[in-house]
């Protein structure tokens, strides 16, 4: 903790420096520095390092950046604060340590928030993910009235009670960085060091893609194809989990929780795309969410049957 | 006598739960103490975002010793009975005492219990309290199993008297009670020890924590008002927000900031809602222009730059939020300027209820009913229909999607750009009213028509699919809808035949419910449409005759029997609501029943007029006279009718009158009838009842002087028919036989 405080003496100059400082801070707290999950997800929570690893009795501590997509939030890169593709920084520690709030505040200092000048508040925000069958209690953390993080104690995931309880921190990186860097429009934010030989802004990196995806998400994406893909992902997820736990080829016990969960993630994102295309009615919406939740539940069932999920040879006996 | 101080220190408790939690802490702990024999002089609980505190004054230092003289079995009772008694009392045989009683010698046991020290009892009570605390939602954390609203970190629990303070030894799930706490999370985070409540409160204040929520709220309100007044502005009062904000801070610091000019033209309700919901800001109004020009935010700390950084940050967040609101507003205006049809189209794809179809279909039904109601409420039918179609359009707008509580209001703002007149705009916002019993009732005719149509459509819809409220379950707020209709009718003094409106709308629902494609359903559909449009006779019959041959009667029966039952049941529901409503206005249930028994009881205004007149009248001497006169006449008549097995309803003739009193009664009845008839036509029930009351004296005189049961059968029948005339005359106002006493 002491080391982290020293770092805040200088203010970060760029978006990436804030990410680097978070990485360094949480590495210093003993978290495994994971990389983004290589699939389209709506939030960092979907990364199996959070969803699946919050299940079962095994201790866990990990942090990672997760690119996240929310097709309905696309504004063609014009809205100063809204993006269909953005980054979340995610920390998950199980069991939640008693000083998690202090650790979290330390991370804010590490990225240049002067605790003597700002107003940090923990405001009730119960988290619930209907698609993951998960909920927890916690807060949204406000810095001067702006929500900069979600802070959640997971109580249930995939229909399972979490025991021990994981503490989850999610930072909305763009918003947080814009605030620290004093930028009013996300596209104007320096991505790398402004004094670098080739300085790049967030807009240099993402303005064009925001336009492209906004058009595709809202008007072009072929809904018939998306619907078909949704059905396929759903079917594949179930098919994977229908397999026997013992692999006939190797003779080993291999429960394929992660490959099945990939299909669940796919289905969830396809649902988000269909939603952005406006082809899902209010009643259907609930049905689709229910279908994704059913997959998440099946994946959770499978994960607790794996070693990482706390399964032991004694369980088999 | 010692004082007890308890503080449960945790991570941030949701603001909305703090007040209740403090009350629960006080109740659970003090109840537990008293039950264990520890009485106290006073107790008070307080809360901040991070702590629940209970201070109990003048507690006994130990529970009193108790002695109980317990009666046991008779001497010589079976050994087992005596052993059982000894076990229960915790004594041995030699400790029992034999005493003589009228029933012989009996064993008695003297059970003495020593009092227990307060600390021991407190530890037990607090353990039970913490483990069973009634949080609306609680959680586990880490690897533990204790549940609290958020992780519980420390417990302060001390007993103090003039000799000093001592910690109550106590531990729950690894947390050991002590005599220390922490100050403000950022401004004074160090732990410190306390010796009693006064010391605790004072040290907290020094450590930048105001313990009392009321004191924090008062401080915020005073500071905010000062800041606004200094600039000639005023804070928009919001008690709910004030309480919430007081629960978000331990050391409130009020800051006032600007709203960027580009957002000030947004509707004030949009600014206010966005600021309250998202930022928990108070709105600051310019009383001269009525516009919201500034905001007040409450920080949780002082800073060296006097809040400049905090305020700048809040202002920035607000701008981002309002940019969203402006984006929705401008997008919505674009849709509105094309007439808003896109919204209505999309509502056709939104389900209202799985049995009652889409919002689009619902709007269509409401529009038809609003049109039908319009003439009775003085509204233009075309305008009422238009307004009904527009009233729900904003449910598709982006602003209402973001802020559902702005439904109706946005419809009002978007009406003018969509080319609608002011009546339509008002109906959009007013048709939801009245929501609660104290909510204003709209009076503009078009608004009234749409408000009635909306509520009646909902009520008849759920009656048609038999999903009525049961017990405490009323998921579609149908009781509120019925009360809304009642208030709309009464406050506007409307004369509506609700029965007919029910029937028409029930049929519209029936049409939709019938639509599943078969030929028979198509024919029924035609039948129902015709009846809905033209009533039960005429065109409807012709349509049916065109379509059916043999089984005509069966379908007609379905329409005749089935639907009226539903509408009668619904009217009964209205009458029940009306009874509650009138009871609150001091009208007795028997008075209401007496009026409900009269015809046209679906005309609520008439019903209430009757009930009010009767209720007032019964409190007067005349009322008592009327009641007694009628009762006396009715009783004698009823006995005779029962004995003779006939109903006496032929006109009595004055030529058979024998006594003067009898002739006088004839004259009095003629006079009363002459007064009552026009009064009833004018619905002047008070005047009618006055005239009836005047009959008391002639009736009494008649009974004094005249024997009804004479040997002359002609005279007897004539007298009974005379009584029948009294009964008939007086039955016009209400069924007085239902009045008690």
């Amino acid at each position: 903790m002491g080391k982290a405080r020293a770092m805040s003496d200088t203010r970060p100059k760029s978006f990436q420096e804030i990410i680097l400082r978070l990485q360094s801070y949480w590495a210093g707290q003993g978290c495994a520095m994971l990389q983004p999950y290589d699939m389209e997800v709506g939030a960092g929570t979907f990364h199996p390092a959070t969803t699946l690893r919050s299940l079962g009795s095994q201790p866990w501590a990990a942090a990672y950046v997760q690119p996240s997509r929310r097709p309905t939030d696309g504004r063609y890169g014009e809205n100063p604060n809204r993006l269909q593709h953005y980054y979340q920084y995610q920390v998950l520690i199980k069991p939640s340590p008693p000083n998690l709030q202090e650790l979290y505040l330390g991370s804010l200092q590490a990225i240049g928030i002067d605790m003597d000048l700002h107003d940090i508040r923990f405001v009730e925000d119960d988290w619930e993910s209907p698609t993951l069958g998960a909920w927890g209690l916690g807060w949204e953390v406000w810095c001067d009235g702006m929500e900069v993080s979600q802070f959640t104690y997971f109580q249930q995931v995939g229909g399972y009670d979490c025991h021990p309880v994981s503490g989850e921190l999610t930072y909305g990186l763009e918003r947080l960085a814009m605030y620290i860097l004093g930028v009013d429009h996300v596209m104007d934010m320096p991505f790398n060091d402004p004094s670098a030989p080739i300085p790049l802004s967030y807009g240099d990196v993402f303005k064009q893609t925001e336009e492209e995806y906004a058009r595709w998400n809202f008007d072009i994406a072929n809904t018939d194809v998306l619907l078909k893909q949704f059905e396929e992902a759903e079917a594949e997820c179930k098919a994977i989990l229908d397999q026997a736990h013992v692999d006939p080829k190797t003779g080993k016990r291999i429960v394929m929780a992660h490959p099945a969960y990939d299909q669940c993630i796919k289905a969830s994102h396809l649902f988000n795309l269909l939603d952005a295309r406006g082809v899902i009615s209010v009643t259907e919406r609930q049905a689709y969410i229910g279908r994704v939740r059913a997959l998440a539940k099946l994946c959770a069932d499978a994960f607790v049957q794996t070693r990482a999920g706390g399964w032991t040879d004694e369980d088999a006996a | 006598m010692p004082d007890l101080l308890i503080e449960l220190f945790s991570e941030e408790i949701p603001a909305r739960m703090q007040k209740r939690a403090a009350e629960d802490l006080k109740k659970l702990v003090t109840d537990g103490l008293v039950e264990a024999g520890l009485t106290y002089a006073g107790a008070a609980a307080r809360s901040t975002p991070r702590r629940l505190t209970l201070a109990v004054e003048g507690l006994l230092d130990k529970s009193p010793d108790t002695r109980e003289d317990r009666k046991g079995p008779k001497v010589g009772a079976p050994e087992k009975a005596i052993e059982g008694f000894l076990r229960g009392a915790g004594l041995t045989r030699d400790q029992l005492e034999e005493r003589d009683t009228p029933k012989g010698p009996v064993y008695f046991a003297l059970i003495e219990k020593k009092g227990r020290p307060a600390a021991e009892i407190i530890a037990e009570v607090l353990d039970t309290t913490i483990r069973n605390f009634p949080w609306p939602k609680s959680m586990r954390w880490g690897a533990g199993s204790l549940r609290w609203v958020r992780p519980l970190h420390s417990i302060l629990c001390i007993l103090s008297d003039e000799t000093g303070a001592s910690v109550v030894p106590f531990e729950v799930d690894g947390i050991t009670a002590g005599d220390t706490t922490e100050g403000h999370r950022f401004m004074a985070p160090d732990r410190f020890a306390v010796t009693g409540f006064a010391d605790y409160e004072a040290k907290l204040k020094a450590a930048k924590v105001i313990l009392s929520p009321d004191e924090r709220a008062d401080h915020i309100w005073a500071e905010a008002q000062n800041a606004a007044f200094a600039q000639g502005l005023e804070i928009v009062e919001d008690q709910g927000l004030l309480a919430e904000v007081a629960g978000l801070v331990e050391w409130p610091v009020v800051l006032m900031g600007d709203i960027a000019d580009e957002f000030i033209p947004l509707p004030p309700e949009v600014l206010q809602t966005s600021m309250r919901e998202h930022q928990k800001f108070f709105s600051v109004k310019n009383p001269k222009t009525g516009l919201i020009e500034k905001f007040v935010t409450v920080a949780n700390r002082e800073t060296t730059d006097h809040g400049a950084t905090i305020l700048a940050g809040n202002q920035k967040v607000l701008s981002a939020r309002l940019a969203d609101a402006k984006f929705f507003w401008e997008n919505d205006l674009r849709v509105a300027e094309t007439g808003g049809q896109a919204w209505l189209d999309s509502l056709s794809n939104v389900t209202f209820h799985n049995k009652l179809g889409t919002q689009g279909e619902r709007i269509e039904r409401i529009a038809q009913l609003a049109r039908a109601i319009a003439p009775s409420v003085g509204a233009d039918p075309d305008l009422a229909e238009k307004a009904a179609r527009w009233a729900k359009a904003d449910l598709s707008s982006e602003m209402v999607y973001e802020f559902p509580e702005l439904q109706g209001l946005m419809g009002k703002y978007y009406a003018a750009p969509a080319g609608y007149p002011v009546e339509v705009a008002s109906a959009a916002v007013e048709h939801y009213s009245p929501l609660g019993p104290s909510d204003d009732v709209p009076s503009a005719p078009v608004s009234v028509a749409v408000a009635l149509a909306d509520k009646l459509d909902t009520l008849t819809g759920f009656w048609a699919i038999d999903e009525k409220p049961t017990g405490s379950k009323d998921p579609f707020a149908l009781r509120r809808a019925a009360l809304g209709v009642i208030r709309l009718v009464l406050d506007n003094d409307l004369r509506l035949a609700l029965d007919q409106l029910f029937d028409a709308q029930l049929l519209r629902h029936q049409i939709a419910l019938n639509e599943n494609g078969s030929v028979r359903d198509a024919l029924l559909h035609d039948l129902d449409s015709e009846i809905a449009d033209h009533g039960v006779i005429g065109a409807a019959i012709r349509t049916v005759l065109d379509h059916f041959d043999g089984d005509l009667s069966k379908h007609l029966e379905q329409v005749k029997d089935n639907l009226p039952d539903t509408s009668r049941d619904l009217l009964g529901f209205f009458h029940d609501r009306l009874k509650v409503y009138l009871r609150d206005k001091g009208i007795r249930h028997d008075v209401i029943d007496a009026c409900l028994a009269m015809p046209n009881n679906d005309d609520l205004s008439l019903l209430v007029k009757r009930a009010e007149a009767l209720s007032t009248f019964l409190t007067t001497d005349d009322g008592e006279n009327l009641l007694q006169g009628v009762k006396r006449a009715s009783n004698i008549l009823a006995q005779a009718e029962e004995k003779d097995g006939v109903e006496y309803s032929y006109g009595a003739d004055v030529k058979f009158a024998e006594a003067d009193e009898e002739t006088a009664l004839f004259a009095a009845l003629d006079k009363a009838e002459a007064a009552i008839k026009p009064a009833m036509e004018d619905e002047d029930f008070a005047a009618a009842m006055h005239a009836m009351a005047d009959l008391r004296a002639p009736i009494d005189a008649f009974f004094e002087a005249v024997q009804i049961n004479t040997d002359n059968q002609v005279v007897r029948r004539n007298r009974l028919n005379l009584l029948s005339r009294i009964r008939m005359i007086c039955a016009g106002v209400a069924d007085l036989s239902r009045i008690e006493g």
Side-chain angles (χ1 to χ4, degrees), chain A residues 82 101 115 121 124 153, chain B residues 11 16 185 298 301 324:
Chain A
R82 274 192 202 279
Q101 280 187 313
M115 289 294 153
R121 225 83 75 66
E124 178 191 16
Y153 292 100
Chain B
E11 296 179 12
R16 66 188 170 94
R185 185 190 277 285
V298 182
R301 62 165 308 156
D324 272 349

Side-chain angles (χ1 to χ4, degrees), chain A residues 81-82 96 98 101 115 117-119 121 124 126 138-139 144-146 153 155 162-163 165 179 183-184 283, chain B residues 11-12 14 16 137 139-140 142 150 153 185 279 298-301 309-310 313-314 316-317 320 324 351:
Chain A
N81 306 288
R82 274 192 202 279
S96 64
Q101 280 187 313
M115 289 294 153
L117 289 180
H118 295 276
D119 182 29
R121 225 83 75 66
E124 178 191 16
D126 299 342
W139 312 272
D144 305 335
M146 181 175 63
Y153 292 100
Q155 301 296 301
C162 296
H163 201 81
V165 167
Y179 191 57
V183 178
D184 288 329
T283 26
Chain B
E11 296 179 12
E12 277 75 356
R16 66 188 170 94
K137 265 188 191 171
M139 55 165 274
R140 291 171 291 108
R150 292 294 183 274
H153 279 280
R185 185 190 277 285
Q279 305 301 132
V298 182
N300 187 31
R301 62 165 308 156
T309 307
I310 296 172
N314 275 289
K316 197 165 168 169
V317 183
D324 272 349
T351 306

Side-chain angles (χ1 to χ4, degrees), chain B residues 51-68:
Chain B
R51 56 200 101 218
L52 294 182
T53 296
L54 174 66
V56 183
E57 280 177 9
L59 194 66
L60 292 179
D61 56 3
K62 66 192 259 303
S63 58
D65 299 342
T66 58
R67 287 165 62 103
E68 186 196 348

Side-chain angles (χ1 to χ4, degrees), chain A residues 223-288:
Chain A
T223 54
D224 293 338
V225 172
L226 295 175
L227 277 167
K228 191 158 153 273
Q229 288 175 343
F230 182 92
E231 310 277 344
E232 285 170 358
E234 185 183 41
E236 179 66 4
C237 179
K238 289 178 179 164
I240 294 170
L241 295 175
D242 277 344
Q243 299 300 312
H245 287 180
V246 175
D247 172 25
K249 195 169 84 189
T250 61
K252 286 185 177 175
R253 185 175 188 284
I254 307 177
V255 179
M256 294 170 288
H258 287 80
Y261 181 62
D262 285 353
Q263 299 301 320
C264 171
I265 293 178
K266 256 186 206 161
S268 173
H269 180 62
L270 287 161
F271 161 72
N272 288 342
L273 286 171
L274 286 163
D275 197 22
R277 289 285 280 113
V279 293
I280 293 181
S281 74
V282 179
T283 26
E284 285 174 322
R285 226 185 124 74
Q286 287 313 311
Y288 273 101

Side-chain angles (χ1 to χ4, degrees), chain B residues 386-398:
Chain B
K386 244 184 227 172
R389 283 185 209 285
W390 181 253
K392 306 280 181 196
D394 67 355
L395 293 179
S396 276
S397 71
E398 294 186 24

Side-chain angles (χ1 to χ4, degrees), chain B residues 212-273:
Chain B
S212 156
D214 293 340
E215 190 183 335
R216 292 194 301 273
D218 290 348
H219 175 84
I220 292 167
W221 189 244
E223 292 288 300
Q225 284 205 306
N226 287 345
F229 286 156
Q231 303 199 25
L233 304 173
E234 59 190 37
I235 309 281
V236 177
E237 200 173 320
D238 190 336
Q239 287 301 323
L241 181 63
L242 181 59
E244 185 180 4
V245 170
L248 285 172
V249 293
E250 294 201 309
W251 193 251
V253 175
V254 168
L255 302 168
M256 188 160 78
D258 294 325
I259 296 170
D261 288 344
E262 57 174 316
F263 303 123
I264 291 178
L266 283 172
E269 295 90 344
V270 169
L271 289 174
Q272 224 175 306
T273 306

